[in-house]
Amino acid sequence: MKGVQHIEVSNRKAKYTFDLKRNITVVCGDSGSGKTTLYKMVSAFYEQGNSSGVKWTCSGEKKCAVLSDPNFWQQNLENIKNSIIFIDEGLKFVLSEDFAKAIKESDNYYVFFNREKLTQLPYSVDEIYQIKTSGKKNHSFVKMFSSNEKHIYTPKSAGKKFIYDTVVVEDSKAGYEFYQAYFDGTKIVCETAESKSKLNKWVKDYSDANPDKKLLVIADGTAFGSEMNRFMEIYKSAKNPANITLCLPESFEWLILKSGLLRQEDINEILKDPSDYIESKEYFSWEQFFTHLLVERTKKIDYMHYKEDKSTLADFYKQKENAEKIIAEIKKD
């Protein structure tokens, strides 16, 4: 499945309207926020159809489904194709590697009602929502976390330029190589946390030891969703939270594509609305798509060739003029 799916779920008492842009959407919120009501409405329609009193409308004419049986979820999932699947919170199987493997190559979109971090799933920080209620009946999804035009997610630091003591990236390969080269010769130290799972601990240890130093954290927004709540906890408990800035572009490969260095006009069209081009059955996360696109578009251009394993980065991207175009996508003027 690909493309934005506009959904309306309604009955006499409530109406939910929301858009699903990626294969994984997470809906958070405390009890009474409307999650359970929406899930019950979808579940009733899935089991009873129109006789449930619930109306289901999807712009892409996709069916809805629920995955609720903890003992037979695998068998049930095998029979659900090209649908919007809703999964209620508290079901432990969604935390397993088996579940992640099962949905990796499926053509469904998934909506999780969950307050736990789904560490096995690569979901975007932009696809974490709360339910907003307008009046007594109308409900919609609103982003839990929002950013500015430079993908900065820490409001108190949103106005900063590149004035930092340290930059830490989750990447340990091509992305890290790029930032190391870019900051070489400056007073800014560039470090790697080595992985997304280690990034939050790195940030906490650094901020505890260096509360007066300014830290810029750069990670791939496409898969940082499971780490976002923990990061915000660290940020709020820091001695000087204003010294910590979080920057979450889609991915390093996305930055290169967005920079215009490839000079291929259709890339701009793809980046305007990637959901129209990213088939969920082929790409578990948008980061995989952006990497594949960059590899394919540069494989016949020796000096720009981007390696699929990201082991090393071509010198072309580290040249000052080109590096400035890449960094401009996250750097304030």
Side-chain angles (χ1 to χ4, degrees):
M1 188 188 303
K2 61 183 177 181
V4 177
Q5 304 298 319
H6 179 73
I7 310 292
E8 289 187 6
V9 184
S10 62
N11 60 17
R12 291 184 301 170
K13 295 182 178 180
K15 179 180 180 181
Y16 290 81
T17 306
F18 51 92
D19 291 335
L20 304 180
K21 300 177 182 179
R22 311 192 195 207
N23 58 326
I24 297 175
T25 299
V26 176
V27 184
C28 301
D30 298 328
S31 299
S33 61
K35 303 192 313 296
T36 300
T37 299
L38 174 57
Y39 179 79
K40 287 182 177 179
M41 288 170 65
V42 172
S43 182
F45 182 81
Y46 176 58
E47 296 173 358
Q48 305 169 36
N50 292 330
S51 62
S52 65
V54 176
K55 183 179 180 181
W56 164 270
T57 304
C58 176
S59 60
E61 299 183 351
K62 308 300 181 183
K63 296 180 180 179
C64 71
V66 297
L67 207 59
S68 58
D69 193 323
N71 298 314
F72 297 98
W73 66 264
Q74 288 174 301
Q75 297 92 318
N76 294 335
L77 183 57
E78 289 174 359
N79 296 320
I80 304 174
K81 308 294 182 184
N82 200 30
S83 300
I84 313 293
I85 300 180
F86 293 77
I87 303 175
D88 203 7
E89 61 184 338
L91 295 170
K92 297 302 181 183
F93 66 80
V94 302
L95 306 176
S96 69
E97 289 187 14
D98 287 340
F99 178 76
K101 290 177 182 178
I103 72 170
K104 187 174 183 179
E105 297 179 355
S106 83
D107 59 0
N108 302 304
Y109 275 15
Y110 297 84
V111 179
F112 295 88
F113 298 94
N114 210 301
R115 282 173 281 187
E116 296 184 69
K117 55 189 292 187
L118 304 173
T119 54
Q120 304 295 339
L121 305 180
Y123 59 98
S124 169
V125 66
D126 285 332
E127 304 310 322
I128 304 175
Y129 296 91
Q130 291 177 310
I131 294 177
K132 177 183 178 181
T133 300
S134 176
K136 294 182 178 180
K137 184 175 180 179
N138 296 313
H139 310 271
S140 59
F141 288 3
V142 293
K143 288 185 179 182
M144 177 81 78
F145 307 101
S146 59
S147 65
N148 66 11
E149 74 282 358
K150 293 299 182 181
H151 322 289
I152 303 296
Y153 283 78
T154 308
K156 290 185 180 179
S157 304
K160 289 183 179 177
K161 298 182 180 181
F162 260 45
I163 305 173
Y164 302 98
D165 296 294
T166 302
V167 172
V168 61
V169 298
E170 66 166 281
D171 189 5
S172 62
K173 296 183 179 180
Y176 176 49
E177 185 179 341
F178 170 81
Y179 292 112
Q180 262 196 321
Y182 182 81
F183 293 111
D184 185 39
T186 73
K187 294 181 179 180
I188 299 174
V189 177
C190 184
E191 302 280 1
T192 174
E194 298 183 345
S195 69
K196 177 185 69 174
S197 61
K198 296 179 181 179
L199 183 61
N200 277 331
K201 184 180 185 304
W202 196 103
V203 172
K204 183 176 184 351
D205 291 345
Y206 179 91
S207 61
D208 286 349
N210 306 279
D212 296 324
K213 289 191 175 183
K214 295 179 174 61
L215 174 66
L216 174 64
V217 183
I218 304 176
D220 291 349
T222 53
F224 200 71
S226 63
E227 304 298 327
M228 194 61 175
N229 281 334
R230 177 56 183 153
F231 176 87
M232 293 308 297
E233 289 174 1
I234 293 170
Y235 170 76
K236 291 175 182 178
S237 64
K239 294 178 182 178
N240 196 348
N243 279 343
I244 304 173
T245 300
L246 178 64
C247 184
L248 297 177
E250 293 281 359
S251 71
F252 176 60
E253 294 76 24
W254 178 88
L255 286 174
I256 294 176
L257 293 166
K258 193 83 164 49
S259 70
L261 289 174
L262 272 69
R263 298 182 182 179
Q264 298 174 9
E265 292 184 4
D266 66 325
I267 287 179
N268 289 331
E269 289 301 313
I270 293 171
L271 297 182
K272 281 182 181 178
D273 195 349
S275 63
D276 285 339
Y277 300 86
I278 302 177
E279 171 56 59
S280 62
K281 191 172 183 179
E282 297 178 26
Y283 304 100
F284 200 23
S285 78
W286 282 18
E287 186 273 337
Q288 292 177 344
F289 171 79
F290 295 132
T291 299
H292 175 78
L293 181 61
L294 183 56
V295 170
E296 287 297 305
R297 294 302 180 90
T298 62
K299 67 180 180 182
K300 295 182 179 180
I301 311 173
D302 290 342
Y303 65 92
M304 294 183 73
H305 180 56
Y306 193 83
K307 294 185 178 181
E308 190 169 4
D309 64 3
K310 310 180 186 184
S311 56
T312 57
L313 184 67
D315 289 339
F316 171 83
Y317 300 106
K318 293 179 281 186
Q319 293 170 4
K320 183 173 177 57
E321 182 179 353
N322 298 329
E324 288 292 351
K325 290 180 179 179
I326 295 171
I327 214 77
E329 297 301 325
I330 59 174
K331 181 180 180 181
K332 296 186 76 68
D333 296 331

